[in-house]
Amino acid sequence: MFASVARARLANSLVARRAFSTTRAQLSSPYHYAEGPRSNIPFNPLTRFFFIRYWAFMITGFGAPFAIAVWQTHKTRP
């Protein structure tokens, strides 16, 4: 009885003493990338005509399947 209580107290004290900590990211590391706004996207939204190119890309990507479906539906059968 006393042995199990002593083991439980010892286990609790070991867990309480254990210190979990993290270190700051090393900026000289080759695996660390820049942080902050617009740093996690593969394009630069601050360039000139970005929004025109963005919307052209979105309209093309979204409209292409519908345009292909219409073309396939209306083409003549041999």
Side-chain angles (χ1 to χ4, degrees), residues 43-58:
F43 47 84
N44 184 6
L46 300 178
T47 58
R48 189 174 181 189
F49 302 116
F50 167 74
F51 290 104
I52 294 170
R53 288 183 285 154
Y54 172 80
W55 282 109
F57 178 78
M58 291 296 157

Side-chain angles (χ1 to χ4, degrees), residues 12-69:
N12 285 341
S13 67
L14 287 175
V15 170
R17 283 191 316 201
R18 193 168 177 187
F20 293 101
S21 63
T22 59
T23 59
R24 264 189 62 216
Q26 297 289 331
L27 295 178
S28 62
S29 171
Y31 304 105
H32 182 75
Y33 299 101
E35 295 179 0
R38 295 180 300 272
S39 65
N40 60 343
I41 52 178
F43 47 84
N44 184 6
L46 300 178
T47 58
R48 189 174 181 189
F49 302 116
F50 167 74
F51 290 104
I52 294 170
R53 288 183 285 154
Y54 172 80
W55 282 109
F57 178 78
M58 291 296 157
I59 290 169
T60 303
F62 186 76
F66 294 101
I68 292 169

